[in-house]
Amino acid sequence: MSFLDNIQKKISEGVERAKVEAEKLQRVLSLQNELGDLKRQLDGRRMEFGDRSLDLYKAGKIQSPTLGEIMRAMEQLQVSITLKEEELKIAQGTNYAPPPSPAAQDV
């Protein structure tokens, strides 16, 4: 095999490998996207299930001490969130006020 044939073979192998790796990457990314979509759908269903369970608990159609504990914990978290949101609004509304200049104090 000549030197040029050897180089051509190596280039062909490199191109083929790059092609295979690109196809692999495309497949992996596609599967990761599909998996992410399925997980988001599952999370959405869990939220629906939780919301419906809490509605039924509030309506007295489910008697469950565990749900009661979860509900109280959620209510406490909601209070904490509301307080933090108010604290954030105050922090965002705070503006820098430069100290008065010495000349303004003498007036």
Side-chain angles (χ1 to χ4, degrees):
M1 187 178 278
S2 74
F3 176 73
L4 290 177
D5 289 338
N6 194 21
I7 289 177
Q8 185 176 11
K9 180 181 176 193
K10 294 285 184 187
I11 290 173
S12 294
E13 288 173 0
V15 167
E16 185 62 28
R17 181 174 180 181
K19 178 182 171 189
V20 168
E21 290 297 322
E23 289 170 352
K24 174 185 167 184
L25 180 61
Q26 183 179 9
R27 179 74 177 140
V28 166
L29 291 174
S30 175
L31 288 169
Q32 286 175 335
N33 284 337
E34 289 175 31
L35 182 59
D37 288 343
L38 290 170
K39 286 181 177 182
R40 280 187 290 282
Q41 289 177 28
L42 177 60
D43 288 343
R45 294 296 182 182
R46 282 183 180 150
M47 288 181 67
E48 285 179 44
F49 181 81
D51 290 346
R52 182 70 178 132
S53 297
L54 290 173
D55 289 344
L56 291 171
Y57 178 81
K58 287 178 184 177
K61 295 185 179 184
I62 296 178
Q63 302 298 321
S64 169
T66 304
L67 282 180
E69 290 175 27
I70 292 170
M71 180 175 281
R72 284 187 292 281
M74 289 174 60
E75 288 169 347
Q76 289 173 350
L77 286 169
Q78 187 58 54
V79 168
S80 295
I81 288 170
T82 301
L83 292 173
K84 283 296 174 187
E85 287 173 342
E86 290 301 317
E87 188 177 340
L88 177 61
K89 286 178 187 176
I90 291 168
Q92 289 172 330
T94 303
N95 294 319
Y96 173 73
S101 65
Q105 290 177 354
D106 293 336
V107 177

